[in-house]
Structures are given as structure tokens and as C-alpha cells.
Amino acid sequence: MIKIGMAVLLAGIMSLAVAEEQADQDIMLDIENAWVRALPPGQPNTAAYLTLVNRGEVVVVVESASADVADKVEIHTTRSADGLMRMEQLQSLEVAPGERLALAPGGTHLMLLGLETMPVTGDTVRLCLQLASQSEVCTSADVRKSSDASDSQNGQHHH
């Protein structure tokens, strides 16, 4: 009887591991058109923009972000309140299967906080997104003054 119980327990544990592995395989998040805004030297913060594309079959939740040039990265959005535009921190972003989510000037974006030095046009910044699935998606973001990407490369990454 104990052997049967152990076999059932072992089968249950193995099926959980297979289900978890399958869930990780279903997560396919691409990062496209990543860039960081170049600001005048001495500024302690800047913003990063990108497009998230969920090519998988499950909702992808971005819980946090990091950048190699910043002490901290926060997810922000811009909202109108009392006739004024205000930035508000978000705790996470959800990207549904098949959805494209643009983080763009004037809307949702990443705030790079606590810069030692402001990156300059032509530099690249490594951005990483930490997902609720405990995985991470990273890309190289071009540094430029505006969203005009005509003179820079298109940083893309697939997870």
C-alpha cells in the first residue's frame, strides 16, 4: 500500500514539473524598438520606451525592470488628473496572448532612476524585464533624443 501511495505522489510531482515546464515554454515575449531618451548631462533620471509583443499562449506579467545604467527602474504611466498630466507608478504590466503593448512618450514607459551619468546619443543601455514566471527578458536599447529611429538600429529580443 505504501508503494502505491509513493507511486501516486511521485506521478503527481512529475506532472507538476511537466506543467511548469510547459508554462515556461508558452511564454514568448519579444521586445521591439527599445530606446532610451538622451537628456542634458547632470539629469538624475530618464525614460525608456519599447514595444512588448506576446507571441505565446498565456498572459505575460512584467513585474519589474532593471537597466545597467540606473540604480532603479520603475514602470510609470501618464494620466490626466484635474486637467494636469501626472506620472503614476504601476506595479506590473500585463500583455495578453497576441497583444502588442507600446511603451511610448506621453504614456506608459520605464523610468530609469539614479543615473550616475546620463547616457549619450549613440550609447546602448541594457534593459531587462523581470516576469512573474520568474524569467527575465533583456534587450539593448539605443540612446537617442527622440522616437525617430531612422538613424539607429532596431534592438529586438525574443524570449
Side-chain angles (χ1 to χ4, degrees):
M1 191 71 162
I2 292 175
K3 287 183 180 180
I4 293 172
M6 290 298 286
V8 169
L9 179 62
L10 184 58
I13 290 170
M14 289 176 58
S15 66
L16 283 175
V18 169
E20 185 175 315
E21 184 177 312
Q22 180 65 39
D24 284 347
Q25 291 174 352
D26 290 341
I27 295 174
M28 295 180 60
L29 185 69
D30 287 344
I31 300 175
E32 298 177 350
N33 306 316
W35 66 282
V36 172
R37 186 179 302 278
L39 295 174
Q43 300 291 320
N45 309 319
T46 191
Y49 309 100
L50 49 90
T51 300
L52 300 173
V53 184
N54 184 348
R55 300 191 194 285
E57 299 174 6
V58 297
V59 172
V60 175
V61 178
V62 177
E63 291 187 331
S64 61
S66 61
D68 62 357
V69 298
D71 288 337
K72 183 177 183 181
V73 177
E74 295 179 352
I75 304 167
H76 284 200
T77 193
T78 306
R79 298 191 195 276
S80 177
D82 301 323
L84 300 173
M85 297 304 286
R86 299 183 189 272
M87 275 198 303
E88 177 181 305
Q89 185 177 355
L90 301 176
Q91 297 307 310
S92 64
L93 293 173
E94 289 189 7
V95 189
E99 182 181 13
R100 295 177 69 83
L101 178 62
L103 279 63
T108 303
H109 56 280
L110 300 177
M111 283 300 301
L112 282 58
L113 308 171
L115 302 173
E116 280 190 30
T117 59
M118 177 62 62
V120 298
T121 300
D123 285 354
T124 58
V125 171
R126 182 159 174 82
L127 294 175
C128 293
L129 304 177
Q130 290 75 39
L131 309 180
S133 66
Q134 304 304 311
S135 58
E136 184 175 70
V137 182
C138 297
T139 192
S140 292
D142 296 325
V143 177
R144 56 183 189 249
K145 292 182 180 182
S146 72
S147 60
D148 180 14
S150 61
D151 61 344
S152 65
Q153 295 180 8
N154 185 12
Q156 296 188 6
H157 178 80
H158 166 74
H159 175 78

